[in-house]
Structure formats: structure tokens, C-alpha cells
Amino acid sequence: AAVEEFIRMYPLVIQAGRETAGCPVVSGRVLADGDIVWLGIGSANRDPRKYPEPDKFILGREGVNQHLAFGAGPHRCLGMHLARLELAIVLREWHERIPGYWIEPGAGITERGSQLTLPSLPLRWPAGSSAPALHQPASRSGRIPSRAAPTQPPPAETHPPPPRAAT
């Protein structure tokens, strides 16, 4: 459920180009045959008629997997199942290794062309703990050992960490 809500809210591709057939009329304007139109498909995932409170991350949202983050019809992404699996694995592994963190308030996502990007990802850890060592040597099994969760809560003046995503 968390993976689908992440994908709905933050699709990688937010617009798609299509070529017109014939001379369609869109909002009173006649387009020529073969014109390229850009469709803001990412905005469909925030349509309040489909998703109540569309700008809020809601685990267990009804119909969440009916988004257009992977396109639709013959243009639907062939790699969508792999992308979902990869995101689920990343979230699970991240939270095993880095359990106590939150994103600094004010961090934002930026549109860059037809994709979303994070220019930076400022993370915070509870007072008294240090940032996890991300380059720990792998064990014999090939897995990086996970770190124990910090025992101190975050300082009162900061935002608490988000709920851990279920995968």
C-alpha cells in the first residue's frame, strides 16, 4: 500500500507527449493533424474526484493502484512491476539500516523538464545519535548489517519521523 501511494503522489514521469490524429478541437482551439500535445498525466493522480485529500499521503487509500504513474493503455510502462518491486525492496532495506530518521521540514521536490527530482535530501537523526554509516562492509551473506534503532526521541522543536512504510 505504501509503495502505491508513493508512486501515485510522486510519479517519475509527470507528462507525456502524444500526436494528434485528424484535426481535433480542444477547448475551442483546432489542432492540426500530427501536432504534438503534452498531457499532464501526473496531475490526474491528484484529482480530488478520484482521490479524496489527494495531496495527503494516506496508507490504505481505496483505489490507490488506479493511478497513471506508469501511463495507460498501449503506452503503459512494461517495467512497472519491476519498478514496484524495486521500490518495495529499497524501502524495506533502508528502514532496516536507517530506522530512526526524518526528512528536514521544507525539503521539496522540483520539476525538471518532464520529471521530478530531489536536488537534495536533508535527513535528520535524533539528538545524541549520529548519522548511520552507509558504507559498512557486507557480511558473508552479502547483506549490510542493520543498525539498532536509536533510543532517544527526536527533539521537541523538530518534526517526528514519518510512520514506517509497510511493504
Side-chain angles (χ1 to χ4, degrees):
V3 167
E4 290 301 323
E5 186 68 345
F6 278 123
I7 293 169
R8 179 195 69 81
M9 288 190 73
Y10 305 108
L12 179 62
V13 178
I14 57 176
Q15 60 182 349
R18 296 292 183 263
E19 187 175 332
T20 61
C23 295
V25 178
V26 178
S27 297
R29 182 174 178 173
V30 178
L31 303 177
D33 184 40
D35 274 356
I36 301 296
V37 294
W38 287 97
L39 308 171
I41 62 173
S43 62
N45 297 336
R46 302 280 182 124
D47 186 341
R49 295 170 296 179
K50 175 69 177 171
Y51 303 104
E53 299 183 273
D55 296 329
K56 189 174 179 184
F57 185 90
I58 300 174
L59 281 174
R61 181 186 293 276
E62 193 173 318
V64 70
N65 65 341
Q66 298 169 0
H67 54 71
L68 295 177
F70 295 112
H75 300 283
R76 192 163 181 91
C77 176
L78 290 174
M80 66 183 178
H81 301 299
L82 178 59
R84 285 179 170 112
L85 177 61
E86 289 174 336
L87 185 53
I89 291 169
V90 164
L91 290 172
R92 183 186 70 231
E93 295 297 320
W94 176 276
H95 289 111
E96 277 184 19
R97 289 172 176 76
I98 308 171
Y101 74 95
W102 62 97
I103 298 171
E104 190 172 298
I109 295 175
T110 305
E111 181 183 345
R112 187 173 177 205
S114 64
Q115 295 185 334
L116 299 175
T117 186
L118 288 167
S120 67
L121 183 59
L123 298 178
R124 304 291 249 177
W125 284 265
S129 68
S130 60
L134 297 179
H135 299 289
Q136 298 178 31
S139 67
R140 291 179 65 146
S141 68
R143 291 179 50 98
I144 298 172
S146 64
R147 294 174 53 95
T151 56
Q152 294 180 327
E157 68 274 5
T158 63
H159 293 282
R164 198 168 278 166
T167 56

